[in-house]
Amino acid sequence: MATTAKQDYYDLLGVSRKAAQKEIRAAYRKLARKYHPDLNPGDKSSEEKFKQVQEAYDVLSDAKKRQMYDQFGFETPGAGGMPGPGNADDVHFDFGGFDFGGGGAGGGPSFRDLFSQYFRGGGGVAEAPAHAESGSSLEYQVEITFWEAVRGTVKKLTIARLDTCTDCRGTGTVGQSQTCSACGGSGQVAQTSGRMRFNLTCTRCGGTGRIRNICRLCGGEGRVRRVDTIDVRIPAGVQTGSRIRVAGKGNAGTSGSPAGDLYIITDVQPHAYFDRRGDDLYTTVPITVSEAALGAKIEVPTIDGRSLLRVPPGTNSGQKLRLREKGVPSVRDSAKRGDQYVELQVMVPKPVDERVRELLKELEKLAPEDPRKELFDRAKA
């Protein structure tokens, strides 16, 4: 690269010799985008400029290469560590960088092969081993009835998930591994540019020196999308928003990594009579005037069937009584249950019969009472 050898790397990137790595990186990215061949098709001068910018960045972005360049420039060190043009062919810098031309003497990949991944998201190393990642978790919402939530149930669900590929068993590759033809099994390819020699990781094998055939069924992913039908046990006591974990039924991991989990989110439908609040139930039960005045034992509905409730004498409408442990089982501890609260509603008879009217008047005479006696005094307080 005669042109690059005559121009200082710092000048190429437009930064000072004391520039920090962050400044060098920002300058490189700006120039690389400006001169990238894909953005300037057919423009040879832009392509040559891109090569020069890339070469400069490769050296200045590496601390050891930069130190050697700052000390010796483009000359190779001779005896005593001083520049010695006479022995330039005997000693080479090992910069460990990239091929800045369209394919160097080492036969490795060119700058276009490597940097097309950065600018266009290309996949030039598809045959290299994939990085193992655990599978992601999935969430599904399921609607259940009040009684299914109270008693528990088993739901049959159909879910779409990424499952381990049966052809390659999750590895993404099939067949026996072979020596990489690009690097001869070393995992590296050598590039030369004038007096400098560059070593770079082989992109064909990812530096492993071995390659395997990509699985055709999964395309190298190691996973395929499948639709499964599974039975999910929903425990008693769940409510809207409860999360039920089904271990290992999420998306499969890559390269043998564990699968994620499946989470079932329950949506419980309301009941026409039982009003659920947490693990407690609230109901309303009507009683007669005589039951309220004299007291009684009445039957009330519970989730276990009929239960006896004692109504104390002198009960007012709206009074709440509690039935212990007649609520919903706790999803955290099945041995514990909530309570049921019964609100009593006194039903006043309609005086449609003359006999009823006379009895009510007689009751008023026998037990005269003004329920509003203290009302106005309380209002003035």
Side-chain angles (χ1 to χ4, degrees), residues 96-289:
F98 299 96
D99 168 21
F100 304 110
S110 68
F111 74 95
R112 184 184 297 274
D113 297 327
L114 295 171
F115 283 87
S116 64
Q117 297 179 51
Y118 174 76
F119 289 98
R120 298 182 298 184
V125 291
E127 290 181 308
H131 176 65
E133 294 182 356
S134 298
S136 57
S137 296
L138 298 175
E139 282 191 359
Y140 274 78
Q141 188 174 64
V142 59
E143 183 178 291
I144 60 175
T145 66
F146 170 83
W147 291 111
E148 287 175 331
V150 168
R151 297 167 179 166
T153 185
V154 175
K155 283 287 187 180
K156 191 177 292 294
L157 302 179
T158 300
I159 61 172
R161 57 187 292 265
L162 291 174
D163 200 4
T164 301
C165 177
T166 55
D167 282 14
C168 65
R169 297 182 181 180
T171 64
T173 59
V174 294
Q176 297 295 324
S177 63
Q178 301 174 352
T179 301
C180 176
S181 59
C183 65
S186 67
Q188 291 187 328
V189 291
Q191 299 290 310
T192 58
S193 177
R195 298 169 181 171
M196 294 183 291
R197 183 179 68 210
F198 303 88
N199 291 330
L200 60 120
T201 300
C202 177
T203 57
R204 180 171 175 79
C205 65
T208 64
R210 310 288 293 180
I211 60 173
R212 300 183 70 179
N213 295 324
I214 299 299
C215 176
R216 292 185 178 182
L217 179 61
C218 64
E221 171 69 14
R223 303 179 297 180
V224 292
R225 185 165 292 278
R226 288 198 176 97
V227 176
D228 291 338
T229 300
I230 61 174
D231 291 330
V232 178
R233 188 186 71 84
I234 298 177
V238 297
Q239 51 191 308
T240 295
S242 293
R243 287 165 58 92
I244 302 167
R245 174 175 172 263
V246 185
K249 289 299 182 180
N251 288 326
T254 60
S255 300
S257 293
D261 298 326
L262 171 65
Y263 289 92
I264 305 299
I265 313 299
T266 54
D267 180 18
V268 182
Q269 298 304 293
H271 192 269
Y273 178 71
F274 294 102
D275 178 18
R276 181 177 176 180
R277 304 176 194 176
D279 291 338
D280 295 329
L281 296 174
Y282 289 79
T283 57
T284 301
V285 174
I287 59 174
T288 65
V289 172

Side-chain angles (χ1 to χ4, degrees), residues 290-341:
S290 59
E291 288 173 335
L294 302 177
K297 289 183 179 180
I298 63 174
E299 287 187 333
V300 297
T302 69
I303 59 175
D304 300 321
R306 296 170 178 257
S307 292
L308 280 176
L309 177 67
R310 179 181 175 276
V311 179
T315 296
N316 292 316
S317 187
Q319 186 171 336
K320 291 184 177 67
L321 302 178
R322 181 173 65 173
L323 291 171
R324 294 181 182 274
E325 297 186 348
K326 288 297 182 180
V328 180
S330 171
V331 72
R332 294 183 177 85
D333 186 354
S334 58
K336 296 182 179 179
R337 292 182 59 172
D339 300 325
Q340 179 174 335
Y341 292 88

